[in-house]
Amino acid sequence: MQTIEQLLESKNIRVTAMRLLIYKFLAEKQVAVTLSDIENAFDKADRTTLYRTVKTFEEKAIVHQIDDGTGITKYALCEEGCNCEIETDLHLHFHCNICNETVCLTEHKIPQIKVPDGFVSENVNLVVKGICDKCSR
Ligand SMILES: [Zn+2]
Ligand SMILES: [Zn+2]
Ligand SMILES: [Zn+2]
């Protein structure tokens, strides 16, 4: 098992206390989080630092952005080995209409979608909406 430090270093991210804390926060969450969730969890930290950390993680494929249709961008940790490539790494997300939480369905990859000639795909979002296992009980 890789430590978080090794993981960050393998992605050429300098290890800082703040980065480790944010990584751990994301790892403990079973659901995708918003920037305000992160701000609330680290209310003593500088917001710009938090924002930049998330952006760095996103650029280095540590986290991915999720647009679940709620209008608020959410973030979740990438799986090991993820490069956030459209062809290989993107997966479905599930948004619960009751608790409003969004989870990664990492075992369900997004099928390759061929766009017409001249079109360039930059991102794909596939969100299944419904009732999650906790709310359906
Ligand atoms: Zn990723
Ligand atoms: Zn739910
Ligand atoms: Zn995901």
Side-chain angles (χ1 to χ4, degrees):
M1 266 296 279
Q2 248 186 341
T3 63
I4 304 171
E5 284 89 342
Q6 286 166 339
L7 174 80
L8 295 182
E9 277 162 5
S10 74
K11 303 247 186 187
N12 291 317
I13 302 175
R14 200 165 49 84
V15 177
T16 66
M18 197 68 232
R19 285 172 179 168
L20 286 175
L21 285 171
I22 293 179
Y23 187 96
K24 283 183 189 145
F25 173 75
L26 291 162
E28 279 161 14
K29 291 271 167 189
Q30 302 293 318
V31 298
V33 301
T34 63
L35 272 178
S36 21
D37 292 334
I38 298 174
E39 282 171 16
N40 292 337
F42 301 96
D43 55 355
K44 302 237 163 32
D46 175 44
R47 293 173 78 175
T48 318
T49 311
L50 294 177
Y51 181 76
R52 283 209 194 111
T53 304
V54 173
K55 280 286 147 203
T56 306
F57 281 2
E58 194 188 344
E59 281 158 20
K60 304 282 188 179
I62 299 269
V63 301
H64 55 283
Q65 250 194 49
I66 303 156
D67 173 4
D68 61 8
T70 55
I72 302 160
T73 302
K74 294 184 179 171
Y75 298 89
L77 277 191
C78 288
E79 302 165 85
E80 220 182 306
C82 176
N83 292 309
C84 292
E85 298 288 344
I86 291 189
E87 292 81 14
T88 50
D89 292 323
L90 299 187
H91 49 258
L92 302 192
H93 291 101
F94 190 97
H95 177 75
C96 175
N97 290 326
I98 295 177
C99 65
N100 222 18
E101 286 186 338
T102 300
V103 293
C104 294
L105 302 180
T106 42
E107 65 278 24
H108 298 288
K109 299 286 181 243
I110 289 183
Q112 285 208 30
I113 295 159
K114 206 165 169 354
V115 294
D117 281 351
F119 289 70
V120 180
S121 306
E122 292 188 322
N123 195 11
V124 183
N125 257 298
L126 257 175
V127 182
V128 182
K129 300 205 173 198
I131 302 166
C132 76
D133 57 347
K134 287 185 217 87
C135 297
S136 67
R137 263 178 220 148

